[in-house]
Amino acid sequence: MLPITILVIYIILFTMFKSAKWAALTLGERVHGATRRILALLITGTHFSVSSGVGFLALFGVSVEVGVIMIEYINQLRAQGYSIEDAAVEGAILRLRRS
């Protein structure tokens, strides 16, 4: 079920961004974040449980939301004429202030 779920999320992101690159970037970083959370469980010696699974899902959802908002804002700045570097910095500053 997990690969199917990830595929469905990718399709949703793809239709929203109309770009395979942005959808893959958004989803890829979230999957990378999941591996870091699993590594944290291993380092602390904590067992994977239902509550940690629910926490993983909650963090996944929040991080996808933040990623989508950030990429949309960066794309808006790019449409206004900002360079990719300036747009990325502005997007990161905006997200860090509101987090």
Side-chain angles (χ1 to χ4, degrees), residues 62 66 69-70 73 90-99:
V62 169
V66 168
I69 292 170
M70 183 183 226
Y73 185 66
E90 285 295 318
I93 288 171
L94 177 73
R95 291 313 310 158
L96 288 174
R97 278 192 213 142
R98 295 186 184 199
S99 296

Side-chain angles (χ1 to χ4, degrees), residues 7-92:
L7 178 65
V8 168
I9 292 171
Y10 177 80
I11 291 169
I12 292 169
L13 290 171
F14 177 76
T15 57
M16 190 177 80
F17 288 127
K18 297 176 182 59
S19 168
K21 176 179 73 171
W22 291 119
L25 179 68
T26 303
L27 192 59
E29 179 53 36
R30 302 319 153 232
V31 172
H32 183 256
T35 58
R36 292 189 303 243
R37 289 187 286 274
I38 291 171
L39 182 63
L41 286 177
L42 292 173
I43 290 172
T44 60
T46 307
H47 297 287
F48 188 81
S49 63
V50 172
S51 29
S52 62
V54 169
F56 275 30
L57 289 174
L59 284 173
F60 184 81
V62 169
S63 64
V64 166
E65 177 188 12
V66 168
V68 166
I69 292 170
M70 183 183 226
I71 289 175
E72 273 299 313
Y73 185 66
I74 290 171
N75 286 337
Q76 288 175 4
L77 291 176
R78 295 270 310 180
Q80 294 174 4
Y82 281 70
S83 70
I84 187 80
E85 293 86 11
D86 292 339
V89 169
E90 285 295 318

